[in-house]
Amino acid sequence: MEPVAAAGRLRSAELRGIVLALCAMFMFGLMDAASKYLSTRYPTPQIIWLRYVFTIPMALAILAPCGLGRILRSARPGLQVLRSVLLVVEIGLVVWCFGRLPLADVHSVLALTPLAVTALSVPLLAERVGPRRWAAVGVGFMGVLIILRPGLGVMQPAALVALAAVLLYGLYQVLTRLVGRVDGAETSLLWQLGVGALMTSFVVPFAWRTPVPLHWPLFVVVAALGGVSHYLMIRALQLAPAAVIQPFTYTVLLWAVVIGYLGFGDLPDRWTLLGASAIVGAGLYTAIREHRLRRGEGLAR
């Protein structure tokens, strides 16, 4: 009975992780829409700084009963700082892109992130990636080329910036998986909030535009959605393997299309949809294959 009970607990944890990831993707979609609106009116460093500044008190109030001293102690502080720095830069690049491209276009490029994580896991996590998964990475990259269409006079520099954000976010996810082995989700959240607020504090005095009164609540909403969604994703990755969670992260692309159309009247063109389909298909194949391989290893043990 014990193996059956253990399998049941594992499935229950994975299901909770999937639900948390789905909730996080919906919140990311709402946050990105609000960030896009603000990015056309305020400098990017200001948006990021206010997001961190408003999120920190919320996080401290929620986590204070658990003992902040204990939560702040990290077994890998250097790793926490590095992943937090990567996230700050990645968020800055993405918010900058939101002000220049439709939400769905940006997220179509960002959908390459799981494939980037697959490629980065070889040198950084010493994981083995077979020829089929390398082929999936190649298909995903072809999807990006379809979206960018280099050489046809339609490629936008902002799309290349989004591609750089993919690399940074891929590195962030790999480091999050590494540090998640020794630190809790609450520890990772507080470290990335603290480092992010400190970094942007040096920049925001040179990039500040006093918000109109009606926009202050929107900055608070962006902060709340960002803090909660990142925490949910950290918890999801602790409850379930990345291969299980990954397919459900693509729902953010659906929300980007829906919210982009309802809020801004933007719809992706056929080439963007074709490229996004190739990327998502390759990512789903990679996730399903990795999950099957892990299950096979578990059965072998």
Side-chain angles (χ1 to χ4, degrees):
M1 292 294 291
E2 287 186 6
V4 175
R9 287 193 296 271
L10 180 61
R11 284 194 295 270
S12 177
E14 289 185 354
L15 181 59
R16 292 199 304 273
I18 289 168
V19 172
L20 291 179
L22 288 172
C23 292
M25 292 306 106
F26 176 63
M27 291 184 180
F28 274 132
L30 293 176
M31 181 192 70
D32 290 343
S35 297
K36 178 177 175 64
Y37 176 83
L38 292 171
S39 67
T40 61
R41 293 160 175 81
Y42 300 98
T44 298
Q46 177 179 343
I47 297 171
I48 301 172
W49 182 75
L50 286 173
R51 173 174 159 181
Y52 279 115
V53 165
F54 284 134
T55 304
I56 288 175
M58 301 177 196
L60 292 177
I62 294 172
L63 298 177
C66 302
L68 292 178
R70 178 186 62 81
I71 294 174
L72 283 171
R73 283 194 295 272
S74 171
R76 300 289 299 275
L79 207 56
Q80 289 285 13
V81 170
L82 179 57
R83 59 178 285 278
S84 301
V85 170
L86 291 172
L87 183 64
V88 173
V89 179
E90 184 268 341
I91 291 173
L93 295 181
V94 171
V95 171
W96 184 86
C97 290
F98 283 153
R100 290 154 180 83
L101 291 173
L103 282 176
D105 287 25
V106 177
H107 277 290
S108 293
V109 178
L110 296 180
L112 186 64
T113 299
L115 297 173
V117 172
T118 297
L120 292 170
S121 66
V122 176
L124 298 180
L125 297 178
E127 293 184 357
R128 295 179 60 186
V129 175
R132 293 184 182 181
R133 283 197 285 169
W134 277 121
V137 172
V139 171
F141 184 69
M142 290 298 295
V144 171
L145 293 180
I146 292 173
I147 296 171
L148 298 181
R149 282 160 279 172
L152 298 181
V154 296
M155 184 173 66
Q156 297 195 44
L160 294 177
V161 175
L163 196 57
V166 166
L167 177 60
L168 293 178
Y169 196 53
L171 286 169
Y172 162 80
Q173 286 202 11
V174 169
L175 295 182
T176 298
R177 286 165 60 179
L178 274 175
V179 81
R181 298 171 181 173
V182 292
D183 288 345
E186 297 84 358
T187 301
S188 293
L189 179 64
L190 286 184
W191 272 82
Q192 71 187 41
L193 289 176
V195 172
L198 182 63
M199 278 185 64
T200 51
S201 293
F202 291 107
V203 182
V204 76
F206 307 99
W208 177 265
R209 188 176 301 160
T210 303
V212 299
L214 287 176
H215 288 164
W216 280 110
L218 194 56
F219 280 109
V220 176
V221 168
V222 168
L225 289 172
V228 174
S229 54
H230 275 290
Y231 175 73
L232 291 179
M233 276 305 297
I234 292 171
R235 283 292 296 146
L237 289 169
Q238 287 183 330
L239 288 168
V244 173
I245 296 299
Q246 179 189 320
F248 300 94
T249 64
Y250 289 120
T251 57
V252 73
L253 185 54
L254 172 63
W255 292 120
V257 173
V258 173
I259 297 172
Y261 176 69
L262 295 177
F264 305 98
D266 294 330
L267 279 176
D269 61 26
R270 60 182 179 179
W271 293 108
T272 299
L273 290 174
L274 178 61
S277 298
I279 294 170
V280 172
L284 289 174
Y285 172 81
T286 300
I288 292 170
R289 179 164 176 77
E290 183 176 342
H291 186 47
R292 286 177 176 173
L293 288 173
R294 288 180 182 276
R295 286 184 63 185
E297 289 173 2
L299 291 172
R301 292 193 188 97

